Amino acid sequence: VTLVHRGDEILQYATEFNRKTGLERLQKAGIEIMTGTSVVEVSPDDNEGSNVMDRQCRVTIQKDDQLDTLDSDILLWTAGAMATNTQQGILNSKLPRDSSGRIVTDKYLQV
């Protein structure tokens, strides 16, 4: 498992204790943490199966000026912990929302 995070540290809005504990537990679980790294492209693997559940993807990442590729069986992408104050992007989309403004998904987390 690889956690790719664009920021300089994970859990940046958590307390120092929670940040340190979270980092230690992720590392103890064998999770590779890549901070200061951006996902620049996600594409299907060339060896796709006929069933969408059998497919893999290739994730292109960038740290500084260096590009690298990760192969992935499962890709979980999050969009952050705080709402933006701009009227651009996902907040200005026509995606379905619940009464709290969260995007509504199905049981597969798809819109």
Side-chain angles (χ1 to χ4, degrees):
V1 174
T2 304
L3 187 153
V4 178
H5 183 61
R6 188 183 325 182
D8 293 330
E9 60 184 351
I10 63 166
L11 303 170
Q12 66 188 37
Y13 298 109
T15 65
E16 172 94 19
F17 174 81
N18 288 344
R19 202 171 30 253
K20 181 180 176 191
T21 302
L23 180 61
E24 288 171 356
R25 290 199 178 169
L26 289 168
Q27 290 171 331
K28 185 176 179 180
I31 296 172
E32 179 183 0
I33 300 168
M34 303 175 78
T35 57
T37 305
S38 296
V39 173
V40 295
E41 182 179 21
V42 177
S43 57
D45 187 10
D46 294 333
N47 300 319
E48 294 181 11
S50 59
N51 181 338
V52 70
M53 300 306 282
D54 295 333
R55 295 184 182 173
Q56 295 183 332
C57 64
R58 182 156 290 157
V59 181
T60 303
I61 57 173
Q62 181 176 6
K63 183 170 178 108
D64 301 321
D65 290 331
Q66 184 166 343
L67 292 175
D68 199 3
T69 303
L70 304 172
D71 291 322
S72 176
D73 295 322
I74 298 173
L75 176 66
L76 175 63
W77 193 312
T78 64
M82 297 177 35
T84 179
N85 291 327
T86 66
Q87 293 299 314
Q88 300 174 354
I90 198 77
L91 290 179
N92 200 31
S93 72
K94 294 182 180 181
L95 295 173
R97 307 287 180 122
D98 67 11
S99 62
S100 298
R102 296 175 294 217
I103 298 171
V104 177
T105 63
D106 63 16
K107 66 181 181 179
Y108 301 106
L109 300 179
Q110 297 174 335
V111 177

